[in-house]
Amino acid sequence: MTVVTVDYHTAGEPFRIVTAGLPPVPGDTVAERRAVALGAGGTATAPRPGALDDVRRLLTREPRGHAGMYGGFVVPADDSEAHFGVLFWHKDGYSTACGHGTMALGAWAVDSGLVAAPDDGTAWVRIDVPSGRVSAAVHRAGGRTTAITFRNVPARIAARGLRVETSLGTVAVDLVHAGACYASVRAADLGLAVETGRLPELTAAGREIRAALADEPATRHPADPRLSGVYGVILHDELPDTPRGPHQRNVTVFADGQIDRSPCGSGTSARLALLAADGRLGESSRLGAGDRLGEGDRELRHESVIGTVFTGRVVAEGPDGVVTEVTGTAHRTGEHRFVLDPYDTLGTGFLL
């Protein structure tokens, strides 16, 4: 087996893009291809074995990857209106949305010449993902990419203030469908703070809350059952507002206990929906990176557990929820040609 990848990081979170070496992935849409990837009887965090999943495991397991690896298989778009599609994956399986990955894919599409872009200005990259069509505005200046703005599918609040029992006490949980279902919890309500030294406790709390919500009706997506179930638990700290709006720090615990090193793109969309409902954000005009906010426009400064930053704003509101834009940076970290020696007794690798 030989697999070729281009690797990026978005605000510190890796994203490995597979450009060659995939077996055929049948299906007419990205959502159908994800179902094929999961396999008959498989789930988002326990896919069935198969040739495609061998590639995922090869790239997310040691010695070629690690438990925090994230990436995507580039597949055909649902129709000619998008540039391409993607299946998002991590060490446990396949997700339905990934904002940081969308930003990385936007940068890669422009860097590789797949999508033409000006030396100065913005190029829009349209991408089909399992939860719908998203886009990345790739902002350029002086012939280089300076930032990427991720425009998500609508984010819809499913529940507010759900009481969830944990080993650290009873906490109030908010649920938002933002391409994937996110549960938001104030870290302080658990006696925690979003700090690297508290990561073991934060991870344990995130896993416990996700498990506690397994049978919660509000986690079910109203239109597509494939998007149901809590994907990530966002534990957040409230920081002093900036002149432009709210300021928060978060760590998102997703899948079966992975930690997002970035502020989490789709998770930021979920936080924006909640802040807008609380009246802390107004609907902003659509802006490019570096543009000035208009008078009265508000944005969220969203920090990760490692201190990297996304900014987010609400740009529209409709019957399906709020449309958000999240801006950050993505940088290429390497290009790889991975091989699997048929005599390698470790096979596709291992996780510790």
Side-chain angles (χ1 to χ4, degrees):
M1 180 191 298
T2 301
V3 180
V4 180
T5 73
V6 179
D7 284 21
Y8 280 74
H9 83 83
T10 306
E13 178 72 358
F15 195 77
R16 179 163 282 172
I17 303 166
V18 178
T19 60
L22 282 182
V25 189
D28 293 328
T29 66
V30 172
E32 289 180 7
R33 291 185 177 93
R34 178 176 179 268
V36 169
L38 297 182
T43 68
T45 54
R48 301 289 294 172
L52 185 67
D53 206 56
D54 284 346
V55 179
R56 179 190 65 83
R57 287 185 287 118
L58 182 83
L59 299 178
T60 57
R61 297 183 175 195
E62 296 185 53
R64 300 166 188 84
H66 54 82
M69 180 54 66
Y70 211 113
F73 298 143
V74 177
V75 297
D78 291 358
D79 59 48
S80 61
E81 295 300 313
H83 292 102
F84 53 88
V86 63
L87 300 179
F88 296 120
W89 43 258
H90 44 74
K91 77 173 178 68
D92 297 309
Y94 299 86
S95 57
T96 58
C98 180
H100 93 273
T102 300
M103 294 183 196
L105 286 161
W108 165 76
V110 167
D111 290 345
S112 66
L114 181 64
V115 176
D119 286 344
D120 297 281
T122 297
W124 283 94
V125 181
R126 297 177 299 279
I127 306 169
D128 284 330
V129 306
S131 55
R133 180 161 294 162
V134 297
S135 55
V138 182
H139 309 292
R140 309 263 295 166
R144 73 177 187 89
T145 297
T146 57
I148 304 98
T149 296
F150 156 59
R151 184 179 296 169
N152 198 11
V153 298
R156 184 186 62 81
I157 297 173
R160 300 296 303 263
L162 289 175
R163 308 302 291 178
V164 175
E165 299 287 340
T166 78
S167 59
L168 298 175
T170 302
V171 292
V173 177
D174 298 325
L175 292 175
V176 180
H177 290 279
C181 184
Y182 289 91
S184 282
V185 183
R186 282 168 44 94
D189 291 349
L190 294 160
L192 300 174
V194 180
E195 301 168 351
T196 55
R198 309 297 295 271
L199 277 176
E201 298 161 275
L202 291 162
T203 303
R207 295 180 72 174
E208 188 176 358
I209 291 166
R210 180 174 179 267
L213 292 168
D215 296 322
E216 168 56 46
T219 67
R220 299 171 193 154
H221 193 277
D224 188 345
R226 294 173 295 190
L227 306 179
S228 296
V230 173
Y231 168 67
V233 177
I234 305 170
L235 300 141
H236 62 93
D237 288 342
E238 195 72 44
L239 303 177
D241 282 8
T242 73
R244 296 189 173 188
H247 184 191
Q248 297 181 341
R249 180 184 300 118
N250 91 94
V251 62
T252 300
V253 182
F254 66 92
D256 189 26
Q258 280 189 257
I259 292 295
D260 198 327
R261 277 73 171 165
S262 81
C264 187
S266 302
T268 299
S269 288
R271 293 298 309 148
L272 288 165
L274 292 166
L275 289 167
D278 290 341
R280 298 182 62 189
L281 288 172
E283 184 177 318
S284 300
S285 55
R286 294 178 179 177
L287 302 173
D291 289 351
R292 292 188 176 185
L293 288 173
E295 185 176 354
D297 285 339
R298 304 272 286 171
E299 68 178 8
L300 166 67
R301 178 181 172 88
H302 212 201
E303 294 186 15
S304 73
V305 70
I306 65 169
T308 52
V309 176
F310 288 161
T311 57
R313 58 183 63 87
V314 172
V315 297
E317 186 172 358
D320 297 325
V322 296
V323 177
T324 63
E325 290 184 346
V326 179
T327 299
T329 58
H331 301 277
R332 185 166 50 183
T333 60
E335 300 178 12
H336 305 278
R337 186 179 184 89
F338 293 103
V339 298
L340 176 58
D341 186 330
Y343 298 101
D344 186 345
T345 57
L346 285 178
T348 54
F350 60 93
L351 292 170
L352 291 178

